Amino acid sequence: MIFFKAFLVGGLICVVAQLLMDLTSYKITPAHILVGFVTAGALLSAFGFYQPLVNWAGAGATVPLSGFGHLIAQGAVQGVQEKGLLGVFSGGITTTATGITAAIVFGYFASIFFRAKG
Amino acid sequence: MTAQKKVGQQTVWFQNPPVIIAAATIAGQKEGQGPFAKSFDKVIDNDYYGEQTWEKAERRMLLEVMQNAVRKAGLTPGNIDYMLSGDLLNQIISANFTARDLGIPFLGLYGACSTMLESSAIGSMLIDGGFAEYVLVGTSSHYGTAERQFRFPTEQGVQRPLHAQWTVTGASAMVLARSGSGPRITSATIGKVIDLGQGDPLDMSSAMAPAAADTIARHLWDTGRQPGDYDLFLTGDLGIYGSKLVVSLLGQKGFNIDDRYQDCGAMIYFPEQDTHAGGSGCACVGVVTCGHFLKEMAAGGLKRMFVVGTGALLSPCSTQQGETIPGISHGVLIES
Amino acid sequence: METQPLEIQKKQYAKIVKEIRPKPPLLRNLAGAFVVGGLIAVIGQIFLNLYQGLGLSLQEAGAAESATLVFLAALLTGLGVYDEIAKVGGAGSIVPITGFANSMVSPAMEYRGEGLVLGVGARLFTVAGPVLVFGIVTGWAIGIFYYFFR
């Protein structure tokens, strides 16, 4: 069942992005979409709307980049709870550290080992 | 004294029309699987062409095609008075570095994808003006170098819209001479930069079509001719939808060229090659004209064709700053 | 048309362009985005369950799952497969964290010729940079807000 929910929510979030891309001007590039989804995810999370989605759909809500934003927001809040003002600065990165490091390390090695096919 | 060889506002007639004594082409893998595969002198089987980067591969293609054209003309680089060339890369490095290797006096040009025609027009003027015996003109483009410079890296997962075009990998060159045998460039029309407010860098044909229509109409007005006087109007890289735009715009100006009009970009790939709206890039008009159409002309099928190169004069910087895309278009009249 | 003011010419031309330019195949694109985006989420869920089954906490398993997806996306980008998936998937392959990884590897790989520092190092962040900047700034602002108003 969780797989079905993940599929549904993950797919629907991407449908929203596809609509944004196809129905708006060419000025919306993939970079804008990614930035928009991270920011939107963080804001939704701050208002408490994103966690219920994660609880219901699991990876369906965490795999899209809005989940990344949710993680940053969650981290910031946790950081404040644990360390106060300093946590504001460290929290967001703490929760996302694994993803960011993985992306940088694997990205680095992939760029070195492979050659663009064109 | 007035300009004796100029007619109308933007057109010149050559008194001693320069002869295209040799033409050479080289094309990439994808182009080599297209309808014109057999008309290219050489098809490379890998877009790196044995080099470390795509830029170097593009440069190598341009160098080889230039050398090949000179050889076909029975000349050596030392015989050539001027080399006129340009490409799409920043500071036209493909042309600059090729000129370095060839050691021919060099004028670098930038007309985006119209460069082949821009160089042909200026080269013809140099010859007819008595400033040169032989002029080498040519240009190159490469899918990998152009995509990442103007749009996105090729491996980035970006869905290309249906109106997007595919940059042609290839290079072409011609040797123009004061005398000799071959088709002649009898007239040239230098275009104005025209911008009708299109800004999508994935749809440059909409930005270029008004320039193409303007140059074609201007040529006909300047010369007092009608479309029926020509066998063919050939545009460079407007692609499938840009071609429709140019026909429509010319219709508004009172010219119907539909029955004798073709576009290199719309023809260079098969539909199943999944390029969407066709080819683009400096090499597009170059390899198709120098490959297919000059051969057809030599075979006697074509007598008079007006070839129009179209360039989109944008840069990634201008796009990011929200500017629209100005278009340019130059035409030369080639007669057998 | 020739003698009309430029602004009117532009408007008229925009109309012609709109008529002739093909519309994006919206239904097909949406279906592609839904299926590909959904499948990537399902793959994520499979790894999530797997790692939880191995004894990781939900949070740890989530992190490991992200890292796995990122690894796979970097690999597929390197092999030249990811952009083929994106042809069908559109936003479905851009929005998941795999698209984030793809947006890092693809420019870095192509600018490899410009050296390890300014080619690979700098280009890894062509898209990732802005994402991190806006993500972190938003997170920071949320933290500040929470600190003062909780």
Side-chain angles (χ1 to χ4, degrees):
Chain A
M1 190 57 193
I2 182 68
F3 292 109
F4 173 73
K5 289 179 185 167
F7 182 81
L8 190 71
V9 170
L12 282 178
I13 291 175
C14 295
V15 163
V16 173
Q18 187 75 39
L19 282 170
L20 282 173
M21 276 166 54
D22 280 356
L23 298 182
T24 54
S25 108
Y26 60 89
K27 288 174 184 159
I28 307 292
T29 67
H32 292 92
I33 293 286
L34 287 178
V35 166
F37 271 72
V38 165
T39 313
L43 290 175
L44 286 174
S45 172
F47 289 109
F49 297 131
Y50 210 85
Q51 188 60 46
L53 197 62
V54 174
N55 294 343
W56 192 74
T62 55
V63 168
L65 262 231
S66 43
F68 192 72
H70 163 63
L71 218 51
I72 292 178
Q74 247 191 346
V77 170
Q78 277 170 16
V80 172
Q81 286 166 347
E82 286 162 17
K83 296 183 210 151
L85 194 54
L86 205 59
V88 174
F89 288 85
S90 63
I93 303 263
T94 314
T95 41
T96 50
T98 317
I100 294 174
T101 305
I104 292 174
V105 171
F106 296 141
Y108 177 75
F109 285 114
S111 330
I112 291 194
F113 286 132
F114 295 104
R115 207 176 181 202
K117 281 202 319 185
Chain B
M1 192 175 124
T2 54
Q4 302 158 354
K5 297 176 185 175
K6 201 174 161 210
V7 292
Q9 292 180 12
Q10 292 166 233
T11 303
V12 294
W13 278 116
F14 300 116
Q15 281 176 356
N16 299 299
V19 187
I20 302 170
I21 57 170
T25 52
I26 186 166
Q29 200 178 5
K30 197 177 183 92
E31 294 68 29
Q33 292 158 356
F36 295 126
K38 290 205 173 63
S39 70
F40 303 133
D41 294 337
K42 185 171 182 182
V43 173
I44 62 176
D45 54 9
N46 180 310
D47 284 354
Y48 279 103
Y49 202 18
E51 300 287 340
Q52 281 301 311
T53 66
W54 285 325
E55 283 75 11
K56 288 182 183 165
E58 177 176 343
R59 192 182 309 156
R60 185 172 159 202
M61 288 193 300
L62 185 59
L63 179 64
E64 285 190 5
V65 89
M66 290 278 191
Q67 287 170 331
N68 193 14
V70 173
R71 198 179 311 120
K72 278 184 173 184
L75 302 168
T76 64
N79 300 120
I80 308 287
D81 297 298
Y82 305 99
M83 166 179 161
L84 306 179
S85 180
D87 57 273
L88 288 174
L89 302 185
N90 286 337
Q91 286 77 42
I92 55 168
I93 49 171
S94 307
N96 292 342
F97 284 68
T98 301
R100 175 190 70 183
D101 294 345
L102 285 172
I104 302 171
F106 168 65
L107 291 168
L109 303 174
Y110 187 81
C113 310
S114 72
T115 304
M116 191 70 198
L117 283 302
E118 182 183 10
S119 58
S120 305
I122 298 174
S124 302
M125 290 178 189
L126 286 173
I127 289 175
D128 192 37
F131 301 105
E133 185 77 23
Y134 298 109
V135 176
L136 179 63
V137 302
T139 183
S140 62
S141 59
H142 190 296
Y143 173 70
T145 64
E147 287 304 311
R148 79 171 193 195
Q149 172 154 335
F150 288 100
R151 289 170 283 266
F152 302 103
T154 62
E155 298 298 335
Q156 194 169 333
V158 178
Q159 211 168 30
R160 298 170 66 252
L162 289 181
H163 50 77
Q165 289 168 260
W166 191 276
T167 307
V168 168
T169 301
S172 63
M174 299 195 293
V175 178
L176 310 180
R178 202 166 57 80
S179 59
S181 69
R184 288 174 179 270
I185 297 180
T186 52
S187 170
T189 300
I190 307 298
K192 291 189 223 166
V193 176
I194 291 185
D195 186 342
L196 286 189
Q198 295 295 309
D200 185 352
L202 285 167
D203 177 22
M204 300 200 293
S205 66
S206 303
M208 302 189 295
D214 188 75
T215 297
I216 292 172
R218 181 53 59 194
H219 178 81
L220 294 171
W221 281 325
D222 284 349
T223 57
R225 289 182 165 169
Q226 283 301 315
D229 295 326
Y230 294 127
D231 297 327
L232 177 68
F233 290 86
L234 185 66
T235 52
D237 57 350
L238 293 176
I240 293 165
Y241 306 103
S243 311
K244 291 183 186 163
L245 286 171
V246 88
V247 168
S248 161
L249 287 171
L250 277 168
Q252 290 181 358
K253 294 174 198 285
F255 296 111
N256 179 12
I257 61 164
D258 208 6
D259 58 335
R260 53 197 69 232
Y261 169 68
Q262 285 185 301
D263 179 77
C264 299
M267 292 186 289
I268 190 165
Y269 301 114
F270 288 118
E272 57 270 24
Q273 283 182 289
D274 201 23
T275 59
H276 297 333
S280 68
C282 294
C284 186
V285 65
V287 296
V288 175
T289 308
C290 295
H292 178 72
F293 283 104
L294 285 184
K295 288 192 173 89
E296 194 165 305
M297 199 167 233
L302 275 174
K303 297 247 176 304
R304 220 181 225 185
M305 64 173 173
F306 190 58
V307 186
V308 179
T310 46
L313 303 177
L314 79 168
S315 83
C317 165
S318 72
T319 301
Q320 282 177 5
Q321 293 186 1
E323 303 270 359
T324 54
I325 304 174
I328 182 85
S329 171
H330 305 296
V332 301
L333 183 58
I334 304 179
E335 300 189 53
S336 64
Chain C
M1 183 164 174
E2 204 65 22
T3 50
Q4 281 165 337
L6 193 59
E7 283 314 308
I8 295 188
Q9 283 188 43
K10 282 184 183 176
K11 275 201 192 112
Q12 287 181 343
Y13 183 59
K15 222 185 259 173
I16 305 177
V17 169
K18 210 175 165 193
E19 265 168 38
I20 288 182
R21 183 150 73 186
K23 309 264 174 303
L26 196 58
L27 274 182
R28 205 184 72 194
N29 285 356
L30 292 178
F34 182 69
V35 171
V36 172
L39 282 179
I40 294 175
V42 167
I43 295 169
Q45 188 67 46
I46 291 173
F47 282 112
L48 191 65
N49 288 7
L50 185 73
Y51 293 135
Q52 274 185 292
L54 292 174
L56 295 185
S57 74
L58 179 61
Q59 208 168 16
E60 287 167 334
E65 166 237 317
S66 301
T68 312
L69 287 182
V70 163
F71 172 78
L72 290 176
L75 185 69
L76 290 178
T77 305
L79 293 172
V81 178
Y82 203 87
D83 61 325
E84 303 293 329
I85 299 173
K87 241 188 234 174
V88 183
S93 50
I94 291 173
V95 170
I97 192 156
T98 51
F100 178 70
N102 166 256
S103 77
M104 291 181 79
V105 178
S106 52
M109 192 162 61
E110 294 205 5
Y111 283 88
R112 171 78 182 81
E114 272 93 299
L116 286 181
V117 176
L118 296 179
V120 176
R123 299 288 178 171
L124 274 172
F125 290 93
T126 311
V127 176
V131 169
L132 290 176
V133 167
F134 286 94
I136 289 170
V137 169
T138 312
W140 176 87
I142 290 167
I144 287 284
F145 199 80
Y146 183 71
Y147 178 77
F148 285 108
F149 297 102
R150 64 177 153 166

